[in-house]
Amino acid sequence: MKVALTIAGSDSGGGAGIQADLRTFAAHGVHGASAITAVTAQNTVAVVDTVALEPRMVTAQIEAVASDIPVAAVKTGMLANRAIVEAVAEAVARRRLPHLVVDPVMVAKSGDRLLDAAAEGAYAERLLPLAEVVTPNLAEAEALLGRRVRSLEEMAEAARALLERGPRAVVVKGGHLAGEPVDVFFDGRRMEELWAPRIPTRNTHGTGCTFSAAIAARLALDQELLEAVQGAKHYLTEAIRGAYALGKGAGPVDHFARAK
């Protein structure tokens, strides 16, 4: 049984974060382990409150898992602050954890910044050089680069610039662009546009978490990187197709849509 580790925040509404990651791992037939970085009180409408864990506790969770269980891939989600970003980077490097997928959770769907400038800087300085692939959306790519990313051409330019920060590959996600959603993959050799049909639904909570977790699961299963990214995009498209209404806001995607 392959094992994937998610290092992320807990979503009390169950649509994103650790909860979405573990369901995605399970849907791929991968055992999911977790290190929780923050606890959020949230539902389909809003994030009501957030408490970040002490960095030492985040490290302790990673160490407890990695010292006993053979981790085949890792993904990061919400890391909350600079101290946690640095603690995660140190633990990943010390344990030489493989196949690190970095989902740089920096900007909320509302446009609000979730991290201060110091934490954003730590992503670029400490975490990206360890990543096999980083998966920013448009707003996160803008935060990392400090410039506009709002077209397919600018996405390709952003992918090139982010690759210079040290990851093995970059996927700039363009789901917020008008028209059919397209992501741009770049690994220094291949620049690929990954297209998918746009599914008409408001229920897209947790899509970023699900996509990065699916990449990690597929890397744990020994898929080649571009193949893992392409497969994760197809998996996410089907999960969005099966998304369901829940509560008064945006419902979650269906992580087990393919199994039905």
Side-chain angles (χ1 to χ4, degrees):
M1 174 65 73
K2 297 289 189 173
V3 178
L5 169 65
T6 170
I7 306 171
S10 170
D11 173 2
S12 59
I18 289 283
Q19 288 81 354
D21 294 343
L22 293 178
R23 287 202 297 273
T24 300
F25 293 162
H28 283 80
V30 171
H31 177 82
S34 63
I36 296 176
T37 59
V39 177
T40 70
Q42 66 176 287
N43 50 36
T44 64
V45 178
V47 177
V48 178
D49 202 358
T50 301
V51 175
L53 271 67
E54 291 291 330
R56 65 173 183 80
M57 187 58 189
V58 177
T59 298
Q61 293 174 83
I62 298 170
E63 289 289 343
V65 172
S67 65
D68 177 52
I69 300 170
V71 174
V74 184
K75 70 143 289 187
T76 65
M78 176 185 181
L79 299 183
N81 56 48
R82 183 182 183 98
I84 291 177
V85 174
E86 292 177 339
V88 169
E90 289 169 7
V92 168
R94 181 172 58 254
R95 282 289 175 180
R96 297 183 180 180
L97 297 179
H99 296 315
L100 176 63
V101 180
V102 174
D103 181 12
V105 180
M106 295 180 170
V107 185
K109 280 187 170 64
S110 63
D112 295 332
R113 295 294 262 271
L114 300 175
L115 297 175
D116 59 23
E120 291 178 357
Y123 260 100
E125 297 161 14
R126 303 295 302 278
L127 208 53
L128 294 195
L130 300 174
E132 180 153 358
V133 60
V134 58
T135 63
N137 61 26
L138 299 181
E140 290 157 353
E142 289 180 339
L144 285 166
L145 294 172
R147 68 181 193 229
R148 173 189 171 96
V149 183
R150 291 302 162 98
S151 69
L152 191 55
E153 181 180 58
E154 289 170 348
M155 288 168 65
E157 292 171 356
R160 292 183 184 279
L162 287 170
L163 195 76
E164 294 177 0
R165 304 289 180 90
R168 180 183 164 196
V170 179
V171 180
V172 180
K173 300 178 296 189
H176 293 138
L177 291 177
E180 297 298 287
V182 58
D183 303 332
V184 171
F185 170 94
F186 183 59
D187 65 358
R189 297 180 298 111
R190 299 169 293 185
M191 181 76 75
E192 300 284 344
E193 295 177 5
L194 309 177
W195 294 85
R198 184 171 297 280
I199 310 300
T201 179
R202 65 179 293 197
N203 301 314
T204 57
H205 187 49
T207 50
C209 305
T210 299
F211 179 61
S212 55
I215 295 173
R218 288 165 179 272
L219 291 174
L221 293 169
D222 299 320
Q223 289 189 5
E224 187 272 332
L225 181 54
L226 179 56
E227 179 188 6
V229 171
Q230 291 170 326
K233 186 172 179 68
H234 176 70
Y235 167 79
L236 178 59
T237 299
E238 295 309 305
I240 295 172
R241 198 186 306 278
Y244 49 92
L246 192 71
K248 299 176 181 145
V253 301
D254 184 352
H255 299 93
F256 296 100
R258 295 190 309 170
K260 294 179 179 176

